Amino acid sequence: MIQIAVLGYGTVGSGVVEVLNRNQEVIDRRAGEEIRVKYVLDLRDFPGDPIQEKIVHDYNVIVNDPEIRVVVEVMGGVKPAYDFVKRALLAGKSVCTSNKELVAQHGVELLDIAMKQKVNFLFEASCGGGIPIIRPMVTSLSGDVIDEISGILNGTTNYILSEMAAEGAEFDVVLKEAQQRGYAERNPASDVEGYDACRKIAILSSLAYGRNVDFQDIHTEGITKISSADIKYANAWGASIKLLATSRVVDGKVYAMVSPIMLDANDPLYSVNGVFNAIFVHGDMLGDAMFYGQGAGKLPTATAVVGDVVEAVRHPHDGDMMGWSSEKLELADYKELKFRFFVRMKGSFTESLDKVEAVFGNIDAKVLAQVSGEFGFITEKMTEAQYLEKAARFDNILGMIRVRF
């Protein structure tokens, strides 16, 4: 029998216990061992819940118990999760986590400790929730050279943008609805400002390119400035707006960024709506592949965590670095990337056309009756630096969104 401990009995932690209990027979058969939860660490007590008999409040009970072979960290945040995970690995216990903040900030260090201790540090649930992406990248695609990863990596922002498009509502209104439905946190900054997606693309990029990508180096924009007017213009072009996290190799340089992007119906990510996530991967041999599913939620995320537990039990002394080196990958300047740009401009289209075309060249323009006192246009393809230089010649630009069509 394999005894495990779960750190945190919140949404995901309770989901892990539920999955292990409900699918116990199948999980034991696939693991080749009986897997049982011995401890659950939480500051709270849960009177009336069967889990109460396993609740402990002192982490030392877990880390000092030689029977505990696998520790599941689903607390979130960096402190005290980092200290707890590091101590578990140094004590010879494998760790499975869903904590993208922890992995993005300390993943390469913790993988190194796991390799030296001949245990596992696994984090499938940290990037795609219930979507399997990490294990396919490091195993199934290990013979391929990945040169692009683009993804809708945050269900909260995707839900908000999808509802804004469906209802024609403003960001603040839909955010409140998302919070009421439990799709957004009381403090939603990590999601809506793009920080969550940034950490996830940093992890995936580190695994894809084999060197450590610092999430703090990734240019990141959120969705707080997206308005109902932007949505109307997107609809007029038959397009949708998504928050995309992207990294790709261009002429030997690696670029990474998180920002709203306008997509048309030919894009594989165009129709990914609601709380669903999707991750597009391009390899030199594979070509295009897309992983789609629920990127968050109690049971989908818990299922991915339990999958890691099974993997740790089946291969207890693996300690694989997953090809993630401690050598830092220096990202190229995102302003070198080429896009078309959707621009909203205050004023009269007919009065501004000559200057706009003189500066931006050929444009694709839309004047919408529903949006008075302004117009929108899409530029030719150019680098971000070129766009910024041209845009600086105007004092009436209301907003810009990059275009991928």
Side-chain angles (χ1 to χ4, degrees):
M1 180 185 295
I2 302 296
Q3 302 276 16
I4 74 171
V6 178
L7 311 185
Y9 196 63
T11 300
V12 179
S14 60
V16 168
V17 173
E18 181 176 344
V19 170
L20 286 168
N21 288 337
R22 284 172 56 179
N23 294 342
Q24 182 179 102
E25 182 179 342
V26 171
I27 291 168
D28 291 349
R29 183 171 71 249
R30 290 173 178 168
E33 296 268 8
E34 291 185 355
I35 298 175
R36 299 294 180 266
V37 177
K38 184 173 182 179
Y39 303 117
V40 174
L41 179 74
D42 205 287
L43 294 173
R44 302 162 295 173
D45 285 308
F46 299 87
D49 189 319
I51 203 64
Q52 180 59 39
E53 65 184 32
K54 299 179 181 180
I55 291 288
V56 295
H57 304 300
D58 182 359
Y59 180 62
N60 290 310
V61 173
I62 293 170
V63 78
N64 293 328
D65 187 337
E67 287 190 350
I68 297 298
R69 300 267 295 277
V70 179
V71 172
V72 172
E73 186 280 306
V74 284
M75 304 168 67
V78 176
K79 291 289 186 178
Y82 166 69
D83 295 324
F84 288 176
V85 168
K86 186 174 181 178
R87 287 180 63 192
L89 293 172
L90 290 171
K93 305 178 191 300
S94 291
V95 174
C96 306
T97 182
S98 61
N99 191 336
K100 83 280 285 181
E101 292 178 73
L102 174 69
V103 179
Q105 192 164 327
H106 296 289
V108 69
E109 175 195 357
L110 297 172
L111 279 167
D112 183 56
I113 294 171
M115 184 176 67
K116 290 174 180 175
Q117 296 297 119
K118 294 183 170 51
V119 292
N120 291 277
F121 177 60
L122 301 172
F123 43 91
E124 179 64 67
S126 66
C127 289
I131 305 172
I133 179 62
I134 290 175
R135 195 165 290 115
M137 280 181 58
V138 300
T139 57
S140 304
L141 302 181
S142 58
D144 213 342
V145 176
I146 296 173
D147 54 28
E148 181 179 353
I149 307 167
S150 293
I152 297 170
L153 298 179
N154 184 274
T156 298
T157 52
N158 203 47
Y159 172 82
I160 291 172
L161 291 173
S162 297
E163 290 300 298
M164 287 178 68
E167 299 176 8
E170 295 293 351
F171 168 81
D172 291 341
V173 173
V174 179
L175 173 59
K176 287 181 181 178
E177 291 177 3
Q179 289 170 322
Q180 291 168 356
R181 299 187 66 173
Y183 293 148
E185 301 290 342
R186 181 176 299 176
N187 179 0
S190 179
D191 295 321
V192 300
E193 297 291 355
Y195 307 143
D196 176 81
C198 171
R199 292 182 175 95
K200 292 174 180 177
I201 198 65
I203 295 167
L204 293 174
S205 299
S206 297
L207 294 170
Y209 310 131
R211 288 179 286 166
N212 191 43
V213 174
D214 188 337
F215 69 94
Q216 297 179 88
D217 293 341
I218 298 175
H219 176 75
T220 301
E221 300 172 18
I223 65 168
T224 57
K225 295 181 181 178
I226 301 298
S227 68
S228 61
D230 293 314
I231 300 294
K232 289 174 182 175
Y233 283 109
N235 289 340
W237 268 291
S240 64
I241 299 171
K242 305 292 185 184
L243 183 72
L244 292 195
T246 300
S247 72
R248 54 185 167 127
V249 181
V250 181
D251 297 329
K253 297 179 181 180
V254 178
Y255 298 85
M257 69 185 302
V258 176
S259 72
I261 300 284
M262 192 179 287
L263 312 171
D264 72 0
N266 295 317
D267 195 291
L269 299 175
Y270 168 86
S271 58
V272 178
N273 293 314
V275 295
F276 281 82
N277 288 185
I279 304 165
F280 169 89
V281 178
H282 183 271
D284 68 338
M285 298 292 123
L286 169 73
D288 297 340
M290 193 166 82
F291 301 81
Y292 171 84
Q294 293 195 52
K298 176 179 178 176
L299 295 180
T301 303
T303 299
V305 174
V306 172
D308 276 349
V309 172
V310 171
E311 184 73 9
V313 169
R314 292 179 62 193
H315 305 284
H317 306 298
D318 197 350
D320 187 6
M321 281 289 286
M322 300 187 187
W324 183 346
S325 153
S326 61
E327 180 186 357
K328 184 175 180 179
L329 176 59
E330 297 292 345
L331 297 176
D333 186 352
Y334 78 97
K335 293 177 184 175
E336 298 174 0
L337 284 172
K338 287 187 175 182
F339 292 96
R340 299 173 75 203
F341 296 87
F342 160 66
V343 183
R344 282 175 56 214
M345 192 169 281
K346 187 176 181 180
S348 165
F349 174 65
T350 54
E351 293 175 6
S352 305
L353 180 60
D354 289 345
K355 183 179 178 182
V356 168
E357 289 189 327
V359 174
F360 284 104
N362 293 327
I363 61 168
D364 180 2
K366 296 287 183 185
V367 183
L368 299 181
Q370 306 99 310
V371 186
S372 61
E374 66 173 76
F375 61 96
F377 61 91
I378 295 178
T379 70
E380 298 176 320
K381 200 168 190 179
M382 63 185 71
T383 67
E384 183 115 1
Q386 289 171 327
Y387 164 77
L388 292 172
E389 183 274 324
K390 295 175 187 296
R393 303 184 203 180
F394 297 86
D395 60 6
N396 59 336
I397 291 179
L398 298 171
M400 176 274 282
I401 299 174
R402 297 164 189 88
V403 176
R404 201 165 83 169
F405 59 81

